[in-house]
């Protein structure tokens, strides 16, 4: 998606530790118009008529997943990273290593809101090593639901998470795949 790539180059920052900061328009301060256009773009790659549920992980993926859910009139659920007293019944869970927080995190989804009849599209704003996506795939599998695909706005291709998911047979579409990033110089993977 050319608009997204242009915004990354113009407004994104490359920080030490291969951190790519896009929080000025994607996942802290949010350009809602851009999110709407990203949602529309995902419709070119996924059969939205057959999707029954949008799934993401808290917290930064929630805004984009909500935009996709609203655009296509689908319910959306997010995996929590901490158990709260308001979750009743059983839980689907998956342990992941968070690249952002540099620690183990457990993703949790109530069995009340995800079932074997669901056809799930996973949406997230950013992928580094692919652990969050893997964890969400584990949850979909544990529920016996059908995974329709994975949509990601920005993927750090040089960390290999997306390539591992694709090699495992997952239908993954990332709208901007960054091959390398240094301050003042971001290189994108050519579109497929």
């Amino acid at each position: 998606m050319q608009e997204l790539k242009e915004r990354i180059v113009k407004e994104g920052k490359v920080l030490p530790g291969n951190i790519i900061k896009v929080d000025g328009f994607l996942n802290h301060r949010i350009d809602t118009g851009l999110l709407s256009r990203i949602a529309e773009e995902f419709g070119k790659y996924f059969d939205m008529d057959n999707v029954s549920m949008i799934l993401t992980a808290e917290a930064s993926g929630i805004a984009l997943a909500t935009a996709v859910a609203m655009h296509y009139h689908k319910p959306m659920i997010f995996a929590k990273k901490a158990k709260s007293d308001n979750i009743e019944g059983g839980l689907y869970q998956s342990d992941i290593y968070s690249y952002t927080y540099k620690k183990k995190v457990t993703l949790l989804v109530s069995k009340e809101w995800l079932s074997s009849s669901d056809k799930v599209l996973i949406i997230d704003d950013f992928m580094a090593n692919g652990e969050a996506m893997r964890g969400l795939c584990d949850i979909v599998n544990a529920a016996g639901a059908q995974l329709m695909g994975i949509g990601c706005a920005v993927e750090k291709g040089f960390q290999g998470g997306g390539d591992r998911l694709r090699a495992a047979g997952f239908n993954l579409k990332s709208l901007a795949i960054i091959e390398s990033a240094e301050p003042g110089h971001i290189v994108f993977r050519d579109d497929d």
Side-chain angles (χ1 to χ4, degrees):
M1 181 175 177
Q2 192 59 36
E3 178 185 7
L4 178 58
K5 292 175 182 177
E6 288 170 4
R7 293 289 294 271
I8 293 167
V9 169
K10 182 179 176 187
E11 299 173 46
K13 295 177 184 159
V14 180
L15 304 177
N18 285 323
I19 303 294
I20 299 170
K21 189 172 164 146
V22 290
D23 67 342
F25 59 92
L26 187 62
N27 53 23
H28 192 72
R29 178 184 169 269
I30 296 169
D31 180 335
T32 57
L34 176 63
L35 260 56
S36 181
R37 291 184 293 280
I38 289 172
E40 189 174 329
E41 188 74 11
F42 282 134
K44 296 176 183 177
Y45 302 99
F46 302 108
D47 182 3
M48 297 307 294
D49 289 337
N50 284 316
V51 169
S52 67
M53 179 71 67
I54 305 295
L55 172 66
T56 195
E58 77 174 351
S60 65
I62 293 174
L64 179 56
T66 298
V68 173
M70 288 179 66
H71 190 85
Y72 295 102
H73 309 285
K74 307 294 179 182
M76 188 273 288
I77 187 169
F78 63 90
K80 294 186 175 199
K81 292 181 180 171
K83 185 169 181 343
S84 59
D85 290 339
N86 65 347
I87 298 180
E88 296 179 327
L91 293 169
Y92 300 115
Q93 65 183 54
S94 181
D95 293 328
I96 64 166
Y97 180 79
S98 172
Y99 183 83
T100 305
Y101 296 104
K102 306 287 189 252
K103 67 179 185 177
K104 186 182 121 184
V105 174
T106 300
L107 298 178
L108 306 163
V109 172
S110 171
K111 289 183 177 181
E112 181 177 12
W113 304 122
L114 189 63
S115 74
S116 61
S117 64
D118 283 310
K119 294 180 178 183
V120 180
L121 176 62
I122 295 172
I123 294 290
D124 211 352
D125 62 326
F126 209 91
M127 183 186 345
N129 60 14
E131 274 290 292
M133 298 295 191
R134 182 198 54 76
L136 293 171
C137 290
D138 288 350
I139 287 171
V140 171
N141 188 50
Q146 182 178 352
L147 181 61
M148 303 299 287
I150 303 168
C152 182
V154 182
E155 174 186 334
K156 290 180 4 183
F158 58 87
Q159 287 193 276
D163 292 332
R164 282 188 293 276
L165 289 167
R166 288 180 192 93
F170 291 100
N171 177 20
L172 167 62
K173 177 60 182 177
S174 295
L175 301 180
I177 303 174
I178 298 171
E179 280 297 339
S180 64
E182 297 174 11
H185 188 69
I186 295 174
V187 177
F188 295 98
R189 183 179 292 178
D190 292 333
D191 292 331
D192 299 332

